[in-house]
Amino acid sequence: MSYPDKPARRPAAVGLAAAVLVLMAVGAVASAVAALLVLGGTVERFRSAAAGTSADAAEVDDVVLLLRGATIASAVVTVLVGVVLVGLAAGLLAGRPGARVATWAVCGLGALFGCCAVGALVGQRAVPLRLSTGDRSAAELLGLVGEAYPGTWLGANAALSVGQALGYLVVAVLLVSPSASAWFRRRHPAPAPTATPHPRPAEDRP
């Protein structure tokens, strides 16, 4: 079965999908940088608020260590995701079928994680943390972590998670379009003709 040659001009759907991926990568890196920038102020506000609780210094230090570790780890993962998105965008623009399949996989995982992140943020606000009486100090400290962030931080992160999930869905839909399918369809060039050796004339033979 033969396939038509790949279109000479890149479809608008493919270019738009790549642009959305790059925009999402920029947003991911920006959010990682912002998280690192606000970390110092968040820790200071948390320590100040924790001074009025029943927690001792060791418990406060443990929560601060957890907060810093989680923020740095999240920033590293977010930057790596941004790098992957840029690589996928380059593969889409080059018309690589493998990049299209990989993008679909990343879009599915990204949309799932985005929905989970939004659910976690909403649940954190709607359902208060309930711990046993012996863990009352830990509950107080964990409740202060969210309040230590800037006022619009949680809302901005929720909006970013929703935007990322929608972006993944948009990219997946664009790559299903007929024009995109034609762009990523592999070509099967005809095999090159093989040269047939000609017998040498009798007078040239030794």
Side-chain angles (χ1 to χ4, degrees):
M1 181 178 179
S2 61
Y3 293 86
D5 288 348
K6 188 177 300 182
R9 296 185 60 182
R10 184 187 307 117
V14 176
L16 182 57
V20 173
L21 288 178
V22 172
L23 181 62
M24 292 169 61
V26 172
V29 174
S31 67
V33 173
L36 295 176
L37 291 177
V38 303
L39 179 59
T42 301
V43 170
E44 292 180 3
R45 286 188 293 271
F46 170 76
R47 286 190 180 278
S48 177
T53 66
S54 58
D56 56 29
E59 291 176 321
V60 174
D61 290 340
D62 289 341
V63 175
V64 169
L65 181 62
L66 177 62
L67 176 61
R68 284 176 172 163
T71 301
I72 294 174
S74 177
V76 171
V77 172
T78 302
V79 171
L80 292 178
V81 170
V83 173
V84 170
L85 293 180
V86 173
L88 290 175
L92 294 179
L93 294 177
R96 298 190 180 96
R100 185 193 191 195
V101 176
T103 302
W104 275 332
V106 171
C107 285
L109 293 175
L112 176 61
F113 290 152
C115 293
C116 291
V118 173
L121 290 173
V122 173
Q124 182 179 356
R125 287 298 188 181
V127 182
L129 182 65
R130 298 175 182 266
L131 297 175
S132 62
T133 305
D135 295 329
R136 190 177 299 258
S137 60
E140 291 176 342
L141 292 178
L142 293 177
L144 293 175
V145 171
E147 299 176 1
Y149 281 101
T152 60
W153 183 254
L154 292 180
N157 276 271
L160 180 62
S161 297
V162 172
Q164 293 281 65
L166 292 177
Y168 284 122
L169 293 176
V170 169
V171 171
V173 171
L174 288 172
L175 295 181
V176 180
S177 64
S179 60
S181 298
W183 170 255
F184 290 105
R185 190 172 296 132
R186 290 182 181 274
R187 291 182 295 182
H188 295 270
T194 57
T196 303
H198 297 282
R200 297 173 59 186
E203 58 271 15
D204 293 340
R205 295 176 185 172

